[in-house]
Amino acid sequence: MERSNLPGKAMSFSNTAFYGASGSPTARLFVTPSIRKSDLDRPPRIEDDSSNNATENADQVFQDVDEFLGVLSAAGDGSTPPDVPDAVELLCKIVESRIAKYTSGENRNKFGRMNEEDDSLIDAVMRLSRLSNALRQFPAGSTAASSSNRIGTVLQLAMAFMEEELPNLLDDSRNGANSNDCKLFLFNAKDENAGSGREEKYPRFSPEVVTKIGRIATVMISAGYENEFCEAYTISRRNAFSEQMKKFDYERINVEDVQRMHWDTLEGEITRWIGVVKYCSETLFPGERRLADSVFSEHLSFSLSVFSNFVRAAAIQFIDFGEAVSMTKRSAEKLFKFMDIYERIRDLISAISESCSDVCRNEINHEIAAVRDRIGEAVVSVFSDLESSIRNDIARIPVPGGAVHPLTRYVMNYLEYACEYKDTLEHIFEKISKPEQPSPPGTDTPFSTQIIAVMDLLDANLQTKSMLYRDPALRDIFLMNNGRYILQKVKGCPKIRKLMGDNWCRRSSGIVRQYHKNYQRETWVRQCVRRDTQNTERLGGQRRAAPVGASGFRIGGGHSGLPRLLREV
């Protein structure tokens, strides 16, 4: 009997809301008015004891039905339907009897835990499905019509039962193997950061459960109930995803809430988001894909479709949060979290590209790439803000003793931490600047140009601050101390040194040495003037003191009185 779609029945499972899909799929069972959910709560009415005998001789019944299926296959065009053997009715009674056994008494809710009985029921339903498809070729008025109606009624009852039991089979907490079970059907993804070969296991199912779910999928899809199975499967896996998110204390946050959050609070949410996306990219998505491939092993197109819908719903959550963060007010302190988000989005694109269908991949990757580009633009704007901060840092009081200025320490430490993301920043600036051709090796890249611009602004700012010192010698000490600090930072960080280049380092070393010479010249000139003055005031015979520089350092003896900081330049 051909199954018809009932009014109001949802035939699509791709647009089910990610959150809010709660409760058992039986809330929207696909049964006809004559077979409702309540029918599963009571045993089917059996008029005689033949069902018991049939159950005991199930193997013989299955064999007779298989022979009849062979006859139907040989019938060809279906113009002359063969006589339907009693084995067909006995098969219907076997299915009714076993469903009644699962839905009443002490065996209620035990489907999936009695392997022999489960397999026998699935085998029987599979034969019913094949009979239904085979008898469909004969005209309605033929002798096979009544048997076809009977088979269709029992088949619908079986489909409703399997759909209701499917979420229980997919419940990880009830069907996952315990820690002592060494025979697990594992979908592993290595934790590359652990460094110890430890593997995350998700999801955890016994081999029997996975096989059973796969057989149910085959039965329901063959019977034409692919939408019902896929919807029940999708809801169950999305509920499992929600449970995983609860373990991370991760909740979906809307754009308005992100905009109102204080940065300290938002920073914590970003850290949690990064952990969730990393887990999904490396463990959860690969595990779900392998599970889907195992369940839909005989219908891989359904595996790809179901998994793609699952990933799409999850990815939309993640990119919404990333987009909301990119819209927040930019500041230098946010750079490193922006970089973490950018790298996790890049990994998410890679994970989706490897496993989703072409349509899903193109659709999701387009949206994710748009968010990634907005984060990249935010990163570039942060460096612009850093330039403005350096340019606007106007001091009115000089640093005592010509010491290293706080601005110098801040900028150099900031650049040192930023260069931990050097490869990613190179990619971002290359993409944002959109050059006609990539920068050839050995030339300045857009990011190195940006770093040099920041360094030039810092140098100009320090030159301005040096003018706050009235003493020229102290002015040279200030420039020498700050220049040497910058040079040490650049040489001490290989990534910054590579960006700045050896020529810049040699030029900067020469400039620092020049400041040193200027300081020496200034102190010698001052000392000479002071000595002439003393000679004029003290006429003859008195012992002359060793010359002392303007800052109290003895100049004689190869400048041994200079601070070590200055001598080592």
Side-chain angles (χ1 to χ4, degrees):
M1 180 183 71
E2 186 160 336
R3 178 172 60 93
S4 61
N5 297 328
L6 300 179
K9 173 184 163 186
M11 294 300 293
S12 173
F13 54 88
S14 60
N15 296 321
T16 305
F18 201 96
Y19 289 105
S22 60
S24 170
T26 53
R28 38 100 189 102
L29 281 172
F30 48 82
V31 295
T32 61
S34 61
I35 302 177
R36 305 182 184 281
K37 181 178 180 296
S38 59
D39 294 340
L40 299 177
D41 297 330
R42 64 175 183 270
R45 182 168 54 88
I46 303 174
E47 297 179 351
D48 51 43
D49 295 331
S50 59
S51 62
N52 294 329
N53 295 330
T55 301
E56 295 174 358
N57 300 314
D59 291 341
Q60 182 62 47
V61 173
F62 290 169
Q63 183 178 350
D64 293 343
V65 169
D66 290 340
E67 292 177 358
F68 180 60
L69 286 169
V71 173
L72 292 176
S73 177
D77 58 5
S79 57
T80 56
D83 294 333
V84 178
D86 294 338
V88 172
E89 177 60 24
L90 293 176
L91 180 64
C92 292
K93 291 182 177 181
I94 288 175
V95 172
E96 290 177 326
S97 174
R98 290 186 175 171
I99 291 177
K101 182 178 179 181
Y102 281 114
T103 56
S104 63
E106 61 182 11
N107 291 323
R108 179 180 290 275
N109 297 327
K110 286 192 175 182
F111 182 77
R113 306 180 199 180
M114 299 185 295
N115 293 331
E116 293 184 5
E117 290 82 350
D118 297 343
D119 292 342
S120 181
L121 174 59
I122 295 174
D123 288 339
V125 175
M126 176 62 80
R127 286 173 170 82
L128 277 181
S129 174
R130 293 172 60 191
L131 283 171
S132 177
N133 293 330
L135 293 174
R136 192 176 300 166
Q137 60 182 313
F138 299 107
S142 66
T143 56
S146 60
S147 295
S148 180
N149 292 336
R150 169 72 168 139
I151 291 170
T153 300
V154 177
L155 187 60
Q156 287 187 359
L157 177 66
M159 295 297 101
F161 169 76
M162 288 185 174
E163 185 184 14
E164 185 178 30
E165 294 297 327
L166 182 60
N168 295 331
L169 289 173
L170 289 166
D171 185 350
D172 294 352
S173 63
R174 291 176 59 181
N175 294 290
N178 59 46
S179 59
N180 297 323
D181 190 352
C182 60
K183 294 182 179 180
L184 295 177
F185 194 92
L186 303 178
F187 307 92
N188 300 337
K190 291 185 177 179
D191 185 354
E192 296 177 356
N193 294 330
S196 60
R198 181 176 63 87
E199 294 181 339
E200 293 289 340
K201 302 176 178 63
Y202 175 86
R204 297 168 64 95
F205 288 104
S206 67
E208 294 79 12
V209 169
V210 174
T211 301
K212 200 162 296 178
I213 296 172
R215 295 193 66 194
I216 291 175
T218 301
V219 170
M220 294 186 69
I221 292 173
S222 299
Y225 289 84
E226 61 277 0
N227 285 335
E228 288 76 11
F229 179 86
C230 291
E231 186 172 357
Y233 179 89
T234 299
I235 291 174
S236 296
R237 298 321 302 156
R238 290 180 177 179
N239 288 340
F241 176 87
S242 299
E243 291 299 320
Q244 291 295 314
M245 295 302 99
K246 289 179 182 178
K247 294 179 181 179
F248 284 90
D249 293 329
Y250 178 79
E251 295 181 359
R252 191 170 188 174
I253 307 175
N254 58 43
V255 176
E256 292 76 15
D257 290 340
V258 170
Q259 297 295 318
R260 289 193 294 265
M261 279 186 183
H262 189 272
W263 173 245
D264 290 340
T265 303
L266 181 57
E267 192 173 15
E269 293 297 332
I270 292 174
T271 300
R272 185 178 291 108
W273 179 91
I274 290 170
V276 168
V277 175
K278 176 179 173 63
Y279 173 74
C280 289
S281 300
E282 297 180 358
T283 300
L284 191 143
F285 287 167
E288 286 290 345
R289 178 58 195 269
R290 293 185 181 96
L291 175 62
D293 286 346
S294 298
V295 170
F296 296 95
S297 59
E298 298 186 18
H299 303 85
L300 291 180
S301 61
F302 287 99
S303 169
L304 191 59
S305 175
V306 168
F307 175 76
S308 297
N309 290 328
F310 174 87
V311 170
R312 180 188 289 111
I316 287 174
Q317 288 190 67
F318 300 147
I319 62 179
D320 283 350
F321 180 83
E323 183 174 15
V325 172
S326 70
M327 296 167 59
T328 59
K329 184 178 179 181
R330 281 75 184 272
S331 63
E333 64 182 352
K334 298 181 179 180
L335 172 67
F336 308 109
K337 286 301 179 185
F338 283 168
M339 294 303 303
D340 289 336
I341 292 175
Y342 188 94
E343 291 184 347
R344 291 283 75 80
I345 289 178
R346 180 191 59 196
D347 295 342
L348 185 62
I349 291 176
S350 177
I352 291 174
S353 298
E354 294 175 357
S355 56
C356 286
S357 64
D358 292 341
V359 174
C360 177
R361 177 172 59 249
N362 294 336
E363 175 187 341
I364 298 177
N365 283 355
H366 176 74
E367 297 182 24
I368 297 178
V371 175
R372 180 198 59 192
D373 292 343
R374 282 191 284 273
I375 293 292
E377 292 171 358
V379 168
V380 173
S381 70
V382 166
F383 277 92
S384 299
D385 292 341
L386 178 63
E387 291 182 359
S388 299
S389 298
I390 297 172
R391 196 178 291 111
N392 297 329
D393 188 81
I394 302 175
R396 301 184 182 277
I397 301 175
V399 177
V404 177
H405 197 279
L407 177 65
T408 304
R409 295 184 185 276
Y410 173 79
V411 172
M412 295 309 301
N413 288 333
Y414 190 87
L415 294 180
E416 184 178 8
Y417 290 133
C419 283
E420 293 296 323
Y421 301 90
K422 175 182 173 296
D423 294 340
T424 304
L425 286 168
E426 290 274 17
H427 174 78
I428 291 174
F429 277 85
E430 193 82 31
K431 188 175 182 63
I432 295 298
S433 63
K434 295 181 179 179
E436 294 182 0
Q437 294 181 349
S439 302
T443 61
D444 291 340
T445 64
F447 179 55
S448 65
T449 302
Q450 174 66 68
I451 296 298
I452 293 173
V454 172
M455 299 289 278
D456 290 342
L457 280 173
L458 177 60
D459 181 68
N461 187 282
L462 292 173
Q463 291 287 343
T464 302
K465 286 180 170 56
S466 70
M467 302 307 295
L468 296 173
Y469 296 97
R470 296 182 179 180
D471 186 348
L474 197 57
R475 184 183 307 154
D476 290 329
I477 289 177
F478 172 77
L479 292 173
M480 186 164 43
N481 284 339
N482 282 270
R484 184 174 185 275
Y485 180 85
I486 293 173
L487 195 58
Q488 283 180 329
K489 280 289 188 180
V490 172
K491 289 183 176 180
C493 180
K495 292 183 178 180
I496 299 182
R497 181 165 186 165
K498 185 176 181 180
L499 287 171
M500 303 304 296
D502 293 335
N503 290 334
W504 182 92
C505 292
R506 285 192 292 269
R507 185 171 62 252
S508 297
S509 296
I511 292 173
V512 172
R513 283 194 297 270
Q514 185 60 47
Y515 290 142
H516 185 196
K517 292 178 180 179
N518 292 344
Y519 169 79
Q520 288 179 313
R521 182 170 55 251
E522 182 65 29
T523 53
W524 270 109
V525 170
R526 285 175 175 247
Q527 184 58 37
C528 289
V529 172
R530 180 179 298 180
R531 183 182 58 183
D532 290 344
T533 302
Q534 290 176 348
N535 289 339
T536 302
E537 293 177 352
R538 301 175 183 179
L539 297 177
Q542 297 184 5
R543 184 181 178 184
R544 297 177 181 177
V548 179
S551 299
F553 304 124
R554 290 191 179 276
I555 305 303
H559 313 299
S560 60
L562 286 176
R564 184 172 61 88
L565 176 64
L566 306 182
R567 294 202 314 271
E568 293 178 356
V569 175

